[in-house]
Amino acid sequence: TATAVAGAWWWARSAIRARTGTTRRTFRGGQLDMRPCCLYQYFFPPHMGDHVYVGISNDFKARRDQHAEKSWWYGYVDHSRTVLQTWTAADCPPGWSPRHMAKAAETAAIRQFAPIGNTDENPLWWEQQPVRAQLKAAAGWVDPPRTADTRRRMSWRTA
């Protein structure tokens, strides 16, 4: 049946992604996405600590604007200390895209520095909760209300 075939395709695709570390953005039109990709690191001012956030993007300026609009930690960023590292197709071994390279570096940086703004891959995420709550309150940040869709997607965490 069509449902079984679609389910098998989804499972195969997710298994390949898990094995190879690829993401939806890695492939464009059946080809590796060879657009340049950058790793960016945001830092607190020197008197407050070190890393605030580590991320990757094919379009840093657009991603920066998204963070400015939606991220509680963005007001704490010392932009003079921001670090960018860019990968191009020439920097990649065969079978890898610039996004593969940036994602590998991002994961390593998050695991090493445990930035307070990162939740995925952050080994100290739970321990940082009280500090994160204090910084959000000091910035006047109010978390958006959870919608039914958000609660449904997060329900596996409470099961």
Side-chain angles (χ1 to χ4, degrees):
T1 65
T3 307
V5 172
W9 165 245
W10 176 190
W11 179 86
R13 185 178 63 180
S14 62
I16 291 168
R17 285 183 185 151
R19 188 177 70 245
T20 62
T22 59
T23 64
R24 278 181 231 146
R25 295 183 182 160
T26 304
F27 291 95
R28 296 181 76 206
Q31 304 274 334
L32 272 176
D33 182 1
M34 298 308 280
R35 293 180 296 165
C37 189
C38 75
L39 168 80
Y40 55 92
Q41 300 179 50
Y42 288 130
F43 294 88
F44 282 115
H47 68 280
M48 287 184 68
D50 208 8
H51 285 76
V52 177
Y53 187 82
V54 175
I56 63 172
S57 181
N58 292 101
D59 185 353
F60 173 69
K61 291 179 181 177
R63 188 67 178 129
R64 180 190 60 203
D65 294 343
Q66 289 173 347
H67 285 312
E69 184 179 321
K70 297 182 178 180
S71 301
W72 66 267
W73 46 260
Y74 193 79
Y76 290 104
V77 173
D78 179 356
H79 293 283
S80 67
R81 300 178 69 198
T82 299
V83 174
L84 290 173
Q85 182 177 0
T86 303
W87 284 269
T88 62
D91 302 322
C92 301
W96 282 65
S97 72
R99 193 162 186 93
H100 282 121
M101 303 291 286
K103 182 64 181 169
E106 177 196 33
T107 301
I110 292 171
R111 288 180 180 169
Q112 180 179 355
F113 301 116
I116 200 161
N118 288 95
T119 54
D120 293 345
E121 305 288 345
N122 186 342
L124 301 178
W125 179 82
W126 184 253
E127 291 84 355
Q128 292 171 339
Q129 287 287 54
V131 175
R132 192 177 294 111
Q134 288 176 350
L135 290 172
K136 283 182 179 183
W141 181 265
V142 177
D143 284 325
R146 298 226 169 142
T147 63
D149 182 54
T150 305
R151 285 193 297 273
R152 185 171 44 255
R153 282 186 284 123
M154 295 182 70
S155 64
W156 65 270
R157 295 183 183 184
T158 59

